[in-house]
Amino acid sequence: MDTHIYKIDKNLYINLTNRCSNRCTFCVRDQSAEYEGYSLWLKEGEPTAEQIIAEIGNPCAYGEIVFCGYGEPTYRLDAILKICDFVHSRGGKTRLNTNGHGNIINNRNIAPELLGKLDGVNISLNAPDKASYDGVCRPNIGGAFEGMIEFAKACKTAGVNCWFSVVDCIGEEAVARCREIAKSVGIPLRVREFIG
């Protein structure tokens, strides 16, 4: 049976899709068929919003309900929004972990649709320029780096609580340059520890 939801520490994570517009060199899905003991490859197809809602139970039992699995969640934007409505109607909190390609994937600016649905949006910056981004994240869509920056700007403009994140394995100099990008956009940067 596929794993649609999985618990780590106090949070519940939602595994909506295995589709991704990146194939990052550091991604855990390329290192292991399992993460934290959970098999996150979806063999039976993508779950519906209704399936996920039924599996969540009481959202207040968790610190946050986080959209993050072995894929880019914004491929399933409609499901995200439906699940967020359910979680908020029960008093829970939501977060999206994204590579920032949601506008490209959905062919429109989705940031206004996220306002009031997501309590936080974590955008993976992961590199300070297009060339190094393409090398590290290996996107399979055009304009990936620029699109991710524009998505972050759109979230800020729409009033969505958002921040950039980078993995510390990219090196101190690259992290420092990422701080400058975050500063220019006007959103915070969080440095995450590499999970090997």
Side-chain angles (χ1 to χ4, degrees):
M1 188 172 178
D2 285 347
T3 301
H4 300 152
I5 64 172
Y6 60 106
K7 188 176 182 233
I8 298 177
D9 299 326
K10 295 180 180 178
N11 294 335
L12 187 72
Y13 292 77
I14 309 296
N15 185 33
L16 281 175
T17 184
N18 288 158
R19 290 180 283 167
C20 194
S21 48
N22 277 344
R23 194 160 162 261
C24 299
T25 55
F26 55 80
C27 185
V28 294
R29 76 188 218 155
D30 286 334
Q31 300 171 35
S32 174
E34 292 190 354
Y35 179 66
E36 296 281 336
Y38 299 100
S39 178
L40 300 180
W41 290 111
L42 298 169
K43 300 180 179 75
E44 300 164 15
E46 296 177 338
T48 65
E50 290 72 24
Q51 281 177 284
I52 297 291
I53 288 167
E55 292 182 38
I56 288 173
N58 176 16
C60 293
Y62 309 99
E64 289 178 299
I65 306 296
V66 185
F67 298 94
C68 176
Y70 270 8
E72 167 51 39
T74 56
Y75 276 102
R76 302 289 314 284
L77 179 64
D78 288 348
I80 289 173
L81 300 180
K82 285 179 185 174
I83 295 164
C84 285
D85 283 342
F86 165 76
V87 172
H88 284 150
S89 74
R90 303 297 193 278
K93 291 188 176 178
T94 57
R95 170 165 46 102
L96 168 66
N97 287 356
T98 178
N99 62 20
H101 297 164
N103 288 354
I104 299 173
I105 290 165
N106 291 282
N107 296 306
R108 67 179 187 276
N109 176 17
I110 66 169
E113 299 171 61
L114 307 181
L115 183 64
K117 306 288 185 177
L118 290 155
D119 297 297
V121 176
N122 173 53
I123 305 162
S124 296
L125 177 54
N126 290 332
D129 56 67
K130 182 186 184 304
S132 50
Y133 184 89
D134 287 351
V136 170
C137 297
R138 300 182 296 185
N140 55 42
I141 57 172
F145 179 75
E146 300 85 350
M148 175 262 299
I149 300 293
E150 288 307 310
F151 174 75
K153 290 178 180 177
C155 284
K156 178 177 167 54
T157 298
V160 176
N161 176 36
C162 61
W163 58 90
F164 281 126
S165 68
V166 295
V167 183
D168 60 6
C169 65
I170 65 171
E172 288 183 22
E173 182 186 346
V175 169
R177 290 172 61 202
C178 286
R179 286 193 197 284
E180 289 302 311
I181 291 173
K183 186 177 178 182
S184 73
V185 175
I187 66 176
L189 175 75
R190 298 181 185 178
V191 181
R192 298 184 291 118
E193 184 180 354
F194 171 66
I195 301 170

